[in-house]
Amino acid sequence: MVRLMGRSPTRSPQRPSTTASVSRQRQGGDGARWRPPAWLRPVLSVRSVAGQVFTLHVVIVLLLVVSAVIALVLQVRHDSVQEARSRSLAIAETLAHSPGIVEALDSPDPTLLLQPRAEATRKQAKVDFVVVMNTDGIRYTHPERDRIGEKFVGTLQPALAGRPVTEKITGTIGPLVQAVVPVNNPDGVVVGLVSAGITIEHVGGAADEQLPLVLAAGGAALVLATAGAALISRRLLRQTHGLGPHEMTRMYEHHDAVLHAVREGVIILADDGTLLLANDEAHRLLGLPEDAEGRHVLDLPLDPGTADLLSSGRVATDEVHRVGGRLLAVNQRSTDRAGGPPGSVATVRDSTELRALSGRAEAARERLNMLYDAGVGIGTSLDITRTAEELTELAVPRFADFTTVDLFETVLAGGQPDGAGSVRRTAVAGVREDAPLYPVGTQTRFVESSPQGRGLAIGRPLIEPRLSEAPGWRAQDMERSGQVVEYGIHSLITVPLRAGSLTLGVVSFWRAEKPEPFDEDELALAEELVARAAVSIDNARRYTREHSMAVTLQRSLLPRSLPEQSALDIAYRYLPAQAGVGGDWFDVLPLSGARVALVVGDVVGHGLHAAATMGRLRTAVHNFSALDLPPDELLGLLDELVGRIDSDESEGEHSAPVTGATCLYAVYDPVTRKCTVARAGHPPPALIHPDGTVEFADVPAGPPLGLGGLPFETAELEPAEGSRLVLYTDGLVEDRQHDIDVGLELLREALSRAGDSPEDTCRTVLESRSPVRARDDIALLVARTRALAADRIAQWPVPSAPAAVAEVRAAITRKLTEWELEDLSFTTELILSELVTNAIRYGAGPIEVRMLRDRHLICEVFDSSSTSPHLRYATMTDEGGRGLFLVAQLAERWGTRYLPTGKVIWAEQAIP
């Protein structure tokens, strides 16, 4: 070690002799060849540093000489071109402004007058040509007379515009410079042109005169430089002891590697304790002064234990000494074991920094794990609040002691964020529950001086290392800010939640447990963590917006309230799917004759398309029910409608057909207590008898809507009064875990233990069957039957004779008096008289009249004819045709209902 890094004087006496012997071997036995002097031979050897320096000096001088010659030649050429431009322009301008040239150009024979002057000028000025031409470029003069009259070759446009022009071209006589000058008459009009040209070689003779002098000077400089380089190289050869460049480079590379490349302090001491050498790392770890080398180790500012160890020279292995705030591991060995000089060498390693480095590596690994967990643990649902909570749960306590998420109000509703609006605290998590931070649900506005406000304004994360010294933060809420500081929260990182160009809110990380404030590395980690969460929150926001739109559409298409009617006690439930808006729907439709229609339908799928299709089907059922059609015929018309919708949708590029639409339609008559049911691919209805037994009605299962080709069948039920009819969609009885048969059995069990009221029935069914996260919509409709009392029904047969009308009137008056509805006698007699008269005149027997007292007074006339009367406006000359018009004016509603054996014309009046 001492030999390597010290300055030993015993290193180099053998190198010159070795070089000389190599030189002699190269010369061989040829004594006739010139041999350089003995002192010059090592200098000329390129294997030594001196030889390389000598060669480099010679090459540099040679390059300078060559460069000077090239620069001279280029400068002379440039000067020649400039001189040619000046001479040609001066000669052309002199001739163009000479007296008489304008008159010569206007003469009948310009060549006769101008050729002698041009040639005289050319010879006197020693140029190659002087040409006078007209404005078209036709030569009047030229040194070679056979070219007179030909067109001049060159640029004439600037000269024709009144400006002289010079240009460098290559002509028939070689590279030349020519100038073209306009000839102006007294009015300033260009009447001709003069051109003078000279070849460049005629003005470039200076280079030939100066080149020998430059070469002579360069040769002298080369000789002097070679001699000086030889002397310098000889001196360098003695100082390097004949070492070659590779050996010197390898020696210094080893020296630097030992002293500076390692992260250990190296100390070399003499046997008397004098410090011979200490590298930079030793100076840093031990705090050595710059002049430490050459001083005794006990005189240096070292702690006593370390100084005693170094001065003793004893062997030590990883002996730990505390120096300042560091724990140093010292190793010491003697240097004279292998015949080296007496002394010792010690190495010093900072174990404190190794531990700190290990801690930093562990922290980096933890941060990578946290980012990975953020990627898989944040955004597991499309719920904005839950996504914000996942972010806070991940950050506490791994990154911060408390984490809060504040989102703009519009973001929580799925809308675009309003940068000027208020924010609502969406999620809070902490190591303790009693922190004086704003609780969840708090609505606030951040002031501009607060870190959150500034971060939202500039769109970048901010760090507040010491909250107690931040007046801008206290301006948000003086009282609560004081409570936060007193609680022990001392440092804050606030990061805007940005998704693209949108700022959704702000996330705040608070530190209380650790005494160290947040640093810049933690700020970068917080930014990355929030950036990953922002994407998930924005996705949840977009989903919330789309879901809200679909839910709004669906809610607007479903019945908002049930119509008033007396035939059924009804309760219903509608549970939308968590995955998206579906197409389940239901309806209650009052019909004529106190009857009520119950409808439950389902459009397979989710989204706006399913909701819109559901609205179209519900509207169609409303329209078809107004025709008082039987359930099977109504489903047939609905099937045709779905088929037409499919046909129209299939023509669109981005549309989808209605697939999997089902429907169940039931009509209950409280007078006869009969319920007629038909279904199109829908689950069968359940019937709960008054004694609590449950059965599923045997209703023929028709094909789903839209398939077409098959008629629908009806089933007629006659439930006892107080029975409950249960209609539902397949979401109640089907899921991924159970088959429909299992679902129907579970529904039967739930219905068997349900209460008597429809509300209790709905609650019991949903409590037993509703999953935590429904994958399909659930529509449930429970209707308890009623029967219209016999004393509220009046019915009379009517003979097919006009005289029977009077008897009907008398019977109606008596019945209305019995029902205490004398105020309706006149209008009722008038309505029934007209309807009975039409039935006698235009219908066919038998004819019957029926009055029902329900919420309305219902009058019905039955006949066996299928011909339906229609309303028309009678003219002044018509004797009839005003009966139905009067009926329409006196009744609230009227219409015709067809039966298998005829028709019924009915009219309803409001009961006062």
Side-chain angles (χ1 to χ4, degrees), residues 874-879 882:
T875 62
M876 295 297 294
T877 58
D878 290 341
E879 296 182 0
R882 297 178 179 85

Side-chain angles (χ1 to χ4, degrees), residues 109 231 461 508 601 799 808:
D109 190 358
L231 294 176
S508 301
V808 172

Side-chain angles (χ1 to χ4, degrees), residues 629-687:
L629 297 175
D632 55 341
E633 295 185 16
L634 186 141
L635 291 181
L637 294 177
L638 198 63
D639 180 66
E640 294 180 5
L641 173 65
V642 173
R644 288 196 298 271
I645 292 176
D646 285 349
S647 177
D648 295 339
E649 294 287 352
S650 62
E651 297 177 0
E653 181 179 356
H654 301 289
S655 57
V658 182
T659 58
T662 65
C663 182
L664 186 146
Y665 188 82
V667 177
Y668 175 71
D669 189 346
V671 178
T672 62
R673 291 188 297 105
K674 292 183 178 180
C675 182
T676 307
V677 185
R679 61 188 179 112
H682 204 80
L687 183 61

Side-chain angles (χ1 to χ4, degrees), residues 132 139 189 440 470 693 804 809 870:
V132 181
R139 300 189 184 100
V189 179
V440 173
T693 59
R809 289 177 181 173
H870 60 278

Side-chain angles (χ1 to χ4, degrees), residues 15 47-49 52 240-250:
R15 185 63 182 179
R47 293 189 177 184
S48 64
V49 174
Q52 293 182 2
T240 58
H241 304 289
L243 292 177
H246 296 291
E247 295 179 1
M248 295 183 64
T249 301
R250 186 163 54 249

